[in-house]
Amino acid sequence: MQKDVIKYIYSTSKGLFWEDFTELFKSDGLERNDVKVTLFREVFYSKTKTTLHKKFAKAFKKVYPTVYKIINKNKPNDNRTKLSHEMMTLESEIFHKILANLYKKRGCDALSIHDAIVILDTDKTNQYTPDEIEKVMMKVYEEYNLFPTCSVDYYDP
């Protein structure tokens, strides 16, 4: 396995990927979310296979050349949106399973917002700690051999 593939797997599994690129583009004054959106637009969800006029794609290709080639192989000429659609489908499948497990097995009042799970402040939900809810989420991710980092944020309206 190529070194850049190992580095990519490590950085994504440890939750360092976005931070690495945020640091790389620090001089541009971009926030983490700006970096994330731009990388998705220029690399993962881009309908073109070129880095022309794409500063972030060029940086990604330089750091992860083998991964960049793999991504572009999954963008066939007749269907350049194949990879992005497969990624969104997989994310939907994972979150559907997480919500199903939280609803059915735990009785939690939960919903998803993009790549986050929101647990409502109700009597049914309050009986579970954030660690217990995170275990449900991680169990689903493990079914896909994925090990993301999770964080808990509290919101008070």
Side-chain angles (χ1 to χ4, degrees), residues 36 91 95 113-117 141:
K36 187 175 178 180
E91 184 177 53
F95 276 82
I113 299 176
H114 183 53
D115 61 355
I117 300 292
Y141 274 106

XYZ file of all heavy atoms in Angstrom, residues 36 91 95 113-117 141:
80
model
N -13.339 22.553 4.277
C -14.082 21.312 4.045
C -14.978 21.445 2.804
O -14.953 20.585 1.918
C -14.922 21.000 5.287
C -15.613 19.678 5.267
C -16.304 19.436 6.607
C -17.050 18.134 6.618
N -17.720 17.872 7.896
N -23.394 7.651 3.234
C -23.631 8.462 4.422
C -25.099 8.352 4.857
O -25.390 8.202 6.043
C -23.260 9.921 4.166
C -23.407 10.784 5.404
C -22.978 12.213 5.170
O -23.476 12.850 4.209
O -22.161 12.705 5.953
N -26.399 6.864 8.496
C -27.214 7.654 9.413
C -28.603 7.058 9.601
O -29.177 7.144 10.679
C -27.269 9.118 8.966
C -26.081 9.898 9.463
C -24.868 9.848 8.792
C -26.155 10.632 10.627
C -23.765 10.528 9.263
C -25.067 11.321 11.110
C -23.856 11.271 10.423
N -29.058 15.867 11.080
C -28.883 17.091 10.305
C -27.521 16.948 9.642
O -26.492 17.025 10.307
C -28.927 18.360 11.180
C -30.268 18.471 11.886
C -28.627 19.594 10.340
C -30.360 19.644 12.846
N -27.544 16.681 8.358
C -26.356 16.433 7.548
C -25.490 15.346 8.195
O -25.854 14.196 8.181
C -25.596 17.730 7.288
C -24.408 17.548 6.397
N -24.484 16.936 5.170
C -23.112 17.873 6.569
C -23.280 16.889 4.625
N -22.426 17.454 5.448
N -24.345 15.699 8.782
C -23.461 14.690 9.360
C -23.471 14.734 10.888
O -22.483 14.438 11.537
C -22.037 14.843 8.823
C -21.414 16.188 9.143
O -22.116 17.061 9.697
O -20.231 16.364 8.849
N -24.626 15.076 11.440
C -24.767 15.146 12.898
C -26.062 14.471 13.331
O -27.031 14.427 12.582
C -24.774 16.605 13.363
N -26.028 13.947 14.520
C -27.220 13.378 15.139
C -27.629 14.333 16.258
O -26.807 14.705 17.101
C -26.942 11.976 15.738
C -26.472 11.001 14.665
C -28.161 11.449 16.482
C -27.504 10.623 13.639
N -20.914 2.493 12.600
C -19.736 2.828 11.792
C -18.791 1.638 11.679
O -18.213 1.386 10.622
C -18.987 4.032 12.378
C -19.534 5.355 11.913
C -20.288 6.157 12.756
C -19.282 5.818 10.624
C -20.790 7.375 12.324
C -19.774 7.033 10.182
C -20.520 7.809 11.045
O -21.011 9.010 10.606
